Amino acid sequence: MASVIHYTIATEAEKYADFRRVLWTGKNTQLVIMTIPPGGEIGEEVHEDIDQILTFVSGTGEARISGSTKKVAQGDLVVVPAGTKHNFVNTGPNPLVLYTVYGPPEHADGAVHKTKEEADAAEEAGEDEPPTE
C-alpha cells in the first residue's frame, strides 16, 4: 500500500519562484506549481487530450479561455477541458502563483523550469515529455 503523499499546497507553491515545477506525477494525473512574474504569461496553448485544473494561491491575473477573459485571484479555481485554447496572464504587480493538476500528465516527471523561456526551450527540444507507461 502506498504511503500518504501530502503537501500544504499554498505553502509549497509560495516556496519556489520557478516558472514551473512538477511536484508529483502519477499514472493518470500530475501536480505542478507555477509562478508567473508580473507582466508574464503561461502562453496561449491547447492540450488536445489533457484536462487541466488551476487553483490560484496569490497574485492577480486573467484567465483567457476560448476568447473569453475572466479575472483571477487568490482562491479562484479554473477548469480547462481538453482541446480548449487558453492562456493565463499576470496583470498585477506581484507574482501570480498557482498550482495545477493535469490529467493525464503533461510534463516530464520532476521537471523544474526557472523561466518561461527555459520551459519553452525544453518543450521544443523534446526534453519535457510526460512519462510513458
Side-chain angles (χ1 to χ4, degrees), residues 24-104:
W24 179 82
T25 302
K27 179 180 176 184
N28 299 306
T29 58
Q30 184 173 62
L31 176 62
V32 176
I33 54 177
M34 298 185 74
T35 300
I36 305 168
E41 63 182 281
I42 289 177
E44 189 172 83
E45 59 188 359
V46 175
H47 306 297
E48 290 299 338
D49 299 315
I50 298 171
D51 293 322
Q52 187 175 6
I53 299 170
L54 302 95
T55 304
F56 296 86
V57 174
S58 63
T60 56
E62 288 181 350
R64 298 177 182 172
I65 302 174
S66 295
S68 296
T69 300
K70 173 81 173 156
K71 291 181 187 263
V72 293
Q74 180 180 358
D76 289 343
L77 182 145
V78 177
V79 175
V80 181
T84 304
K85 185 186 295 186
H86 61 282
N87 190 8
F88 293 86
V89 179
N90 183 341
T91 59
N94 300 311
L96 180 60
V97 179
L98 63 102
Y99 61 92
T100 183
V101 176
Y102 294 97

Side-chain angles (χ1 to χ4, degrees), residues 14-28:
E14 292 277 2
K15 191 186 306 184
Y16 303 100
D18 304 317
F19 175 74
R20 179 168 51 226
R21 177 179 287 266
V22 175
L23 286 183
W24 179 82
T25 302
K27 179 180 176 184
N28 299 306

